[in-house]
Amino acid sequence: MDMKLLFAASIFFVLSACQEITPPKPFGPLPSARQLDYQQMEFNAFFHFNMNTFTDIEWGSGGEDPDIFNPSDLDCEQWIKTCKDAGIKGVIITAKHHDGFCLWPTETTKHSVKYSKWKDGKGDVVKELSDACKKYGLKFGIYLSPWDRNNAKYGTPEYIDVFRDQLRELLTNYGDIFEVWFDGANGGTGYYGGANEKREVDRRNYYDWPNTYKIIRELQPKANIFGDGGPDVRWVGNEQGFANKTNWSLLRRDGVYPGWPKYKELTSGHEDGTHWVPAEVDVSIRPGWYYHASEDHKVKSLPQLLDIYYHSVGRNGTMLLNFPVDRRGHIHENDVAAVMSMANQLNKDFKTDMAKDATITASVDRGRGYGTGNLNDGNRDSYWSTPDSITSGSVVIELDEPKVINRFLVQEYIPLGQRVQEFTIEAFVDGRWRMIAKETTIGYKRILRFEPVEAEKVRFTIMKSKACPLISNIELYHAPAVMVEPLISRNKRGVVFIKAFGESADLLYTVTGKDAVKHGVLYSEPFILKGKGTVKAVIRDKSSGKYSPVATVEYDVSKDKWRVRKGGKRSNRAIDGNPQSSYHVNGDKFPIDIVIDLGEILNIAGFTYLPDQSRWSSGVVKEYGFYVSMNGKDWGRPVSEGEFSNIKSSTVWQKKEFEPVTGRYIKLQALSEVDGVKRLGAAEIGVVTE
Ligand code: FUL
């Protein structure tokens, strides 16, 4: 080759190799460094532990005696060890809730641990917890309720100084704070230093938030401020534990304030938001935020907790899971078991990433440094991108052999903004592309769950994006079926329903009490069981062949022919077979009765009673009498009488047996109610026949 030409060619080669591809420009509102750190934490814990723990209510009035706060065995390390084991990265404590009781020895009020007998006034829960966090390497945050139903100054400008002093104490004396949590509930009735009155405030302006935020920025510049509308982290608009599928980390922030009426918009954010304000999904592991012994059996189940995870972390939100710490000062063992079962299942769900070693190709890329190799390199700072002018594109993940998948995880490179508006996932099965999902936003992280599919390749297509898409990570998994016992139910007509959780599972059952693993038949549709029978059901994972624990429910005769003869409105709810519906009847005095016609003469050897299962159950019968009659008029003496022990704390099924008697009518008589209310309530009443 001509030397000149060779020289020119090599210059050209060197120049083009060195040519820098221009990086994409930021688009729209961007996260701050503190918000980025926060979003990467993904899963945090909330602790509601304060005066209400000892008064057994959710909102104290503020007039409580500080001595009532008295944990018998406070063990903050137990809380933090539990969190660490469960994969939780940071925790937030209710340093002060609406009743104004302070968990630290504040100088601002006498309504605190300093004035309680607990540890002779030398205790400091905030200190013990922050120390435990330091020891185990978790981040620490505080909840300081703006509303203070104890403080005499609440509602006046002087209270704002008290509130800010409290904030200063918390932000100065306990090390690094990652989040400061301001609740939206503000103003109303309260003790207020003994005034016992209603005090409303202008939620938008009373607290002069901008100047309060300045204190936080000055004392803890890395702390994220949580409020209904941010400024750093926003409320997700519900306490049930979900963000919407479409979830923008953007918000028209300056229009949102505590108590903003359009709070439902917070569940999706605003596509045209003016500020970066990601959503935090706060939800309690029990029905209440505070501990109530009566909710010991109402801890969320594994399927419920998994749904919350996939609907928060899996939808571009952070999960803030609340533990109502008990009166000992421990996370209750039922709650520990529940969170650990969730953590263990998630470890299984995300065990082997099948995209990690896959070959990924793209329809288009921006050029060197922005190729598809960035999608599975485990580096969150590298990303695949298209040229500026192209706002769509697809990548194909080619697996070395067909593999079963049911999870798709994808992340945008958010430091330059949230962009993707529409995307699809397809699987290549038997020589053609099959649509798996058509979705909208991605954001920091999006995880899709779908029915297992055996795919040779997976295609991820961005259909629409506000600017060139920047994708930093893609992962593929095959999560095993959730091996919890299936749910069995039977309605009034005797129709039995069996429900399995999770995908890829067969359901097997028997109605004779025989082992469902050995003798079970495949459940395909609801079936009728009018008479007595013991239904057993089990889940069999299709791919591993493993079995779940077996669910067993003993049924007596169905209530098909039953009619309530004496009872008020909606009395049918006590015999409809649905534990979630309940019936209540009030009386002027006890006894209060419900009479049921069984529609046939039966040999009765016992009865069952399930109290109201709702959050604030009422009419829970404490002492009872139970009668059987042939004609519904002559009742004679009760065939059973006594009390349902511990029913206030544990509203579970009660069963009483007695010498068999023959009859067609039954009467349950309430002789007292757990709260002294003159009411009989029942979710279900049943009989035990011979
Ligand atoms: C609510 C409060 O009123 C509840 O008591 C609880 O603290 C929850 C996290 O926020 O709005």
Side-chain angles (χ1 to χ4, degrees):
M1 193 193 272
D2 175 318
M3 282 310 279
K4 266 192 204 156
L5 204 62
L6 182 65
F7 183 68
S10 18
I11 292 287
F12 176 77
F13 178 76
V14 170
L15 278 181
S16 53
C18 296
Q19 203 180 6
E20 274 301 308
I21 306 285
T22 43
K25 290 191 192 63
F27 185 89
L30 303 179
S32 62
R34 75 171 85 86
Q35 287 172 315
L36 273 178
D37 286 348
Y38 163 81
Q39 286 186 267
Q40 284 161 7
M41 292 170 76
E42 298 187 5
F43 181 20
N44 298 319
F46 221 171
F47 297 127
H48 274 66
F49 177 66
N50 204 306
M51 187 58 87
N52 297 335
T53 312
F54 301 89
T55 49
D56 207 7
I57 53 177
E58 285 285 308
W59 279 13
S61 70
E64 296 79 15
D65 180 344
D67 281 343
I68 297 173
F69 180 86
N70 195 10
S72 57
D73 180 31
L74 180 69
D75 186 357
C76 291
E77 291 205 7
Q78 184 253 359
W79 313 4
I80 298 304
K81 278 192 264 182
T82 303
C83 289
K84 187 154 191 159
D85 290 348
I88 288 166
K89 300 289 186 296
V91 306
I92 300 172
I93 170 101
T94 48
K96 181 182 88 169
H97 201 251
H98 311 328
D99 58 61
F101 188 76
C102 297
L103 292 183
W104 77 104
T106 172
E107 297 296 319
T108 61
T109 169
K110 291 194 166 168
H111 204 51
S112 85
V113 281
K114 193 169 164 183
Y115 295 86
S116 80
K117 285 195 190 121
W118 177 62
K119 295 198 173 177
D120 296 326
K122 305 232 162 32
D124 184 344
V125 182
V126 179
K127 173 100 177 53
E128 289 195 34
L129 186 62
S130 58
D131 284 350
C133 282
K134 283 176 202 128
K135 181 163 170 188
Y136 292 94
L138 268 75
K139 293 193 184 177
F140 180 62
I142 49 146
Y143 172 120
L144 183 71
S145 170
W147 185 19
D148 189 325
R149 301 171 99 183
N150 171 267
N151 204 288
K153 295 179 182 157
Y154 185 78
T156 69
E158 292 88 76
Y159 169 73
I160 304 306
D161 295 333
V162 174
F163 179 62
R164 288 184 180 156
D165 284 345
Q166 295 179 341
L167 199 54
R168 282 194 191 93
E169 290 176 351
L170 289 168
L171 299 181
T172 323
N173 298 328
Y174 300 97
D176 287 348
I177 303 285
F178 85 99
E179 184 169 342
V180 180
W181 217 93
F182 293 128
D183 186 71
N186 277 300
T189 54
Y191 170 77
Y192 304 125
N196 288 310
E197 59 188 13
K198 191 166 185 181
R199 295 189 183 170
E200 297 293 358
V201 297
D202 166 2
R203 290 157 180 242
R204 206 168 185 165
N205 301 308
Y206 173 58
Y207 297 99
D208 177 21
W209 285 116
N211 283 310
T212 301
Y213 297 159
K214 275 188 197 154
I215 299 172
I216 303 172
R217 297 292 190 235
E218 183 198 317
L219 297 174
Q220 293 278 351
K222 288 192 182 150
N224 282 278
I225 304 172
F226 170 97
D228 287 5
D232 298 320
V233 176
R234 76 173 195 266
W235 182 41
V236 78
N238 65 71
E239 294 181 349
Q240 277 75 53
F242 68 93
N244 281 340
K245 288 180 172 188
T246 299
N247 183 15
W248 292 95
S249 289
L250 309 176
L251 197 67
R252 296 190 293 273
R253 187 182 77 182
D254 295 339
V256 182
Y257 52 90
W260 187 56
K262 296 189 199 163
Y263 61 90
K264 287 196 177 143
E265 290 180 17
L266 301 177
T267 317
S268 282
H270 293 140
E271 184 166 356
D272 60 352
T274 50
H275 292 81
W276 189 272
V277 193
E280 179 173 273
V281 180
D282 62 320
V283 58
S284 187
I285 197 161
R286 293 172 175 233
W289 291 101
Y290 279 96
Y291 179 78
H292 310 289
S294 59
E295 294 181 350
D296 280 352
H297 65 294
K298 292 188 180 166
V299 178
K300 291 199 166 64
S301 65
L302 173 60
Q304 285 173 312
L305 290 172
L306 289 171
D307 279 349
I308 292 172
Y309 178 86
Y310 282 104
H311 295 164
S312 55
V313 177
R315 290 183 180 171
N316 187 34
T318 48
M319 175 166 166
L320 183 64
L321 182 65
N322 178 64
F323 296 98
V325 173
D326 68 19
R327 289 186 181 181
R328 291 170 299 180
H330 293 192
I331 299 183
H332 191 275
E333 26 288 74
N334 294 0
D335 308 36
V336 174
V339 74
M340 286 315 300
S341 74
M342 181 189 86
N344 292 336
Q345 183 70 36
L346 289 175
N347 285 340
K348 290 183 201 159
D349 284 10
F350 300 109
K351 194 164 168 226
T352 314
D353 171 16
M354 286 176 266
K356 201 165 182 354
D357 303 314
T359 314
I360 310 185
T361 51
S363 60
V364 54
D365 72 33
R366 191 177 185 88
R368 219 165 50 85
Y370 300 95
T372 52
N374 294 336
L375 290 169
N376 58 353
D377 62 355
N379 176 3
R380 65 161 74 104
D381 293 323
S382 68
Y383 50 90
W384 161 74
S385 165
T386 60
D388 285 340
S389 58
I390 301 182
T391 54
S392 60
S394 58
V395 299
V396 173
I397 306 143
E398 215 156 314
L399 303 166
D400 44 11
E401 57 183 281
K403 283 182 180 157
V404 178
I405 52 164
N406 59 3
R407 298 285 184 277
F408 176 78
L409 185 156
V410 58
Q411 296 186 269
E412 276 186 82
Y413 179 73
I414 56 169
L416 296 181
Q418 185 180 349
R419 300 160 177 237
V420 176
Q421 293 163 298
E422 262 178 54
F423 70 96
T424 60
I425 303 295
E426 295 156 283
F428 196 72
V429 184
D430 296 334
R432 60 179 194 92
W433 287 107
R434 215 176 100 188
M435 185 64 82
I436 299 289
K438 191 166 184 308
E439 295 290 336
T440 52
T441 53
I442 297 175
Y444 165 71
K445 188 176 267 189
R446 186 75 198 270
I447 312 172
L448 301 182
R449 292 189 284 184
F450 45 89
E451 281 296 315
V453 55
E454 187 168 348
E456 292 161 44
K457 21 189 189 176
V458 174
R459 184 159 66 189
F460 163 58
T461 305
I462 292 163
M463 317 277 287
K464 202 172 159 210
S465 178
K466 289 179 170 182
C468 62
L470 319 179
I471 305 296
S472 71
N473 185 30
I474 283 180
E475 297 172 20
L476 291 173
Y477 295 95
H478 179 205
V482 179
M483 296 310 239
V484 291
E485 51 184 57
L487 202 68
I488 306 171
S489 62
R490 185 175 76 168
N491 69 15
K492 187 168 185 290
R493 289 178 18 249
V495 183
V496 178
F497 301 83
I498 308 180
K499 194 171 170 287
F501 297 99
E503 316 88 6
S504 177
D506 285 333
L507 263 173
L508 304 172
Y509 75 98
T510 60
V511 293
T512 52
K514 278 192 175 168
D515 184 355
V517 172
K518 273 199 203 134
H519 305 283
V521 293
L522 207 57
Y523 174 85
S524 53
E525 56 182 24
F527 57 89
I528 297 202
L529 176 68
K530 293 255 186 222
K532 286 175 86 150
T534 298
V535 180
K536 287 187 181 271
V538 71
I539 296 173
R540 180 176 60 201
D541 182 8
K542 274 187 189 149
S543 38
S544 67
K546 283 190 188 151
Y547 291 91
S548 72
V550 178
T552 306
V553 181
E554 284 178 34
Y555 286 113
D556 212 286
V557 289
S558 81
K559 298 172 186 171
D560 206 9
K561 300 180 194 154
W562 293 23
R563 301 283 174 270
V564 176
R565 285 292 171 233
K566 184 182 169 202
K569 252 172 134 189
R570 292 191 276 272
S571 53
N572 196 42
R573 291 184 178 177
I575 53 169
D576 63 0
N578 177 4
Q580 302 315 326
S581 73
S582 52
Y583 157 68
H584 300 100
V585 57
N586 293 324
D588 299 332
K589 56 180 173 39
F590 290 112
I592 304 170
D593 303 339
I594 175 170
V595 173
I596 300 165
D597 174 1
L598 307 178
E600 63 186 324
I601 296 172
L602 295 171
N603 235 353
I604 304 169
F607 78 97
T608 54
Y609 167 62
L610 181 71
D612 177 356
Q613 295 296 294
S614 61
R615 169 105 186 262
W616 307 115
S617 49
S618 78
V620 177
V621 178
K622 193 168 157 215
E623 289 158 306
Y624 74 91
F626 188 81
Y627 299 76
V628 177
S629 155
M630 281 302 270
N631 57 12
K633 290 185 197 105
D634 307 313
W635 294 100
R637 293 201 40 77
V639 288
S640 173
E641 59 186 332
E643 67 161 22
F644 298 121
S645 313
N646 196 34
I647 197 166
K648 183 174 164 70
S649 298
S650 187
T651 50
V652 296
W653 277 104
Q654 308 290 318
K655 185 176 180 184
K656 298 286 181 183
E657 286 170 306
F658 43 80
E659 281 300 311
V661 281
T662 309
R664 169 170 168 169
Y665 296 84
I666 57 170
K667 173 162 79 179
L668 174 66
Q669 196 166 66
L671 301 173
S672 66
E673 194 261 7
V674 290
D675 294 316
V677 182
K678 295 193 185 63
R679 182 175 302 152
L680 179 158
E684 279 304 303
I685 294 170
V687 291
V688 181
T689 59
E690 263 225 303

